[in-house]
Amino acid sequence: MINNIACPLCKTTNSSKFYKEKFREYLRCLSCDFIFVPKMYHLSDAEEKSRYDAHNNDPNDHRYRHFLSQLLVPLLERIQQKSNGLDFGSGPGPTLSLMLEECGHSVDLYDKFYDNDISVFEKKYDFITATEVVEHLSEPMAEISRLIEMLNNQGHLAVMTQILTPQIDFSSWYYKNDPSHIGFFTKKSLSFLASYLNIEVYFISERVVFFQKK
């Protein structure tokens, strides 16, 4: 039964039907509050990449830079000068990494489609950024756990994703309409994640959340 599928975040089978539309269904985990799309509705890698190829993330686009500054500004307040970081899921037009480099930091790139350099997973970083990435992960706990392991002590994982708040009407929520978006976090599910991994969580805004390794 579809409501007995294991939650990709906490792995319990304590989930129930949350919302159904024409093309797919959404489940809510009653243990950790993560909202997720069952794997039967996930895009193939080829379908997912074709959607990313259509993105126009231009590093010279001032509007895109302004959008990324929502994460950049609070991150700069928390990291030391000349820190080294990783832009995880850097996409077809890496921009946040350039903005950080302009501020004196060094940044490696990783993207499974555009910069698949697996050597980054053997390194340690002062910070890792994941902008508009975690909502695409089919195994969010495994991926985020790996990123936390890659951080130096007191290092930051800076995440940008649209957090599902009680004020949002899910049925009309634009963020669920992207077929490559398969997981949606609430504050409760983000707090669960932090507790499970024994890290600190800081809610910067309804789009930006930071995790800090102890």
Side-chain angles (χ1 to χ4, degrees), residues 76-135:
L76 291 175
E77 294 173 351
R78 287 166 170 79
I79 58 177
Q80 301 294 321
Q81 292 184 349
K82 298 183 179 179
S83 291
N84 69 303
L86 171 69
D87 186 2
F88 178 76
S90 48
T95 302
L96 181 60
S97 57
L98 295 179
M99 296 167 71
L100 283 157
E101 287 172 348
E102 289 166 1
C103 295
H105 305 288
S106 60
V107 185
D108 290 341
L109 302 178
Y110 176 79
D111 190 283
K112 71 175 183 177
F113 294 124
Y114 304 104
D115 211 318
N116 193 4
D117 177 10
I118 61 173
S119 70
V120 300
F121 298 113
E122 305 301 321
K123 299 180 181 180
K124 290 285 188 178
Y125 294 98
D126 300 317
F127 66 88
I128 298 174
T129 62
T131 57
E132 299 297 311
V133 172
V134 296
E135 64 276 8

